[in-house]
Amino acid sequence: MTQALAVAVAVLATGCGIRPTSVPVDAGSAPSRAECAPGGPSPAASPGDGETLRTVYLVCGSQLAPVPRSVPEDLAGRELAARLLTELEREPGEDEEQAGYSTAVSGLRVADRISGDPAGAVRLSRDPQGLGSPMLAQIVCTFAAGEERTAVLAGPEAGDPPYTYRCTDDALRAPENTVGEPAA
């Protein structure tokens, strides 16, 4: 009986279509249902009544990738920044998680502006200079505006000077390359 079982296992194993080879073969990683690679498919979002789609940047492996999120269309300024920050802090949905998205943003809120802040500056509850690179890059690229894709960020205290950050292609590929310059 044992010999018959061994023969049956051998027949089944040879019938699977994979032939043994003496040469090591690297076939790469197993395919996934969706890829979070920048430029690849991203989870679908559709706005409801009174909402619009805004792009937030989530972590995708060691890079950042754009993901659409629905937000109220009447938000602007500080209220919009607070909502986008909430969207960044929100754990990815099931589809996003299965596609490989994650977030490094947590424990932040939008702080009050201080007299003399540059137009469009957003003060955070922690100094952006001390944030980890994926978190800072996610915030910068999500808040970035205009042709130059810049965001002006500062910490909560009057002594925390605003810095201008650019969301560059280099920063999207390598979030640790997100650097700021003192805001003018």
Side-chain angles (χ1 to χ4, degrees):
M1 180 70 100
T2 307
Q3 188 176 17
L5 183 59
V7 170
V9 169
V11 167
L12 288 174
T14 59
C16 70
I18 299 174
R19 296 174 189 235
T21 177
S22 61
V23 178
V25 176
D26 180 7
S29 60
S32 65
R33 201 167 58 91
E35 267 189 44
C36 67
S42 65
S46 56
D49 289 339
E51 294 184 330
T52 187
L53 289 180
R54 293 293 302 240
T55 300
V56 299
Y57 285 83
L58 297 180
V59 177
C60 165
S62 62
Q63 303 179 51
L64 297 184
V67 174
R69 293 277 173 89
S70 185
V71 300
E73 64 187 5
D74 61 346
L75 294 181
R78 187 173 184 272
E79 291 78 22
L80 177 59
R83 177 58 185 261
L84 291 174
L85 190 59
T86 298
E87 290 298 319
L88 285 172
E89 288 188 324
R90 184 169 59 107
E91 288 299 317
E94 186 177 327
D95 288 347
E96 293 170 343
E97 191 175 328
Q98 287 180 356
Y101 293 95
S102 64
T103 186
V105 179
S106 68
L108 289 177
R109 64 176 178 74
V110 173
D112 292 333
R113 291 182 49 83
I114 294 177
S115 178
D117 280 351
V122 176
R123 287 200 173 261
L124 301 173
S125 57
R126 293 187 3 223
D127 188 348
Q129 295 289 339
L131 299 178
S133 58
M135 184 186 312
L136 177 61
Q138 279 187 263
I139 294 167
V140 167
C141 289
T142 298
F143 287 6
E147 226 173 86
E148 297 201 14
R149 296 174 19 189
T150 61
V152 179
L153 304 174
E157 305 297 325
D160 298 328
Y163 279 78
T164 300
Y165 297 88
R166 288 184 184 9
C167 178
T168 63
D169 292 339
D170 190 36
L172 291 172
R173 282 188 302 273
E176 64 273 8
N177 292 333
T178 306
V179 294
E181 304 169 354

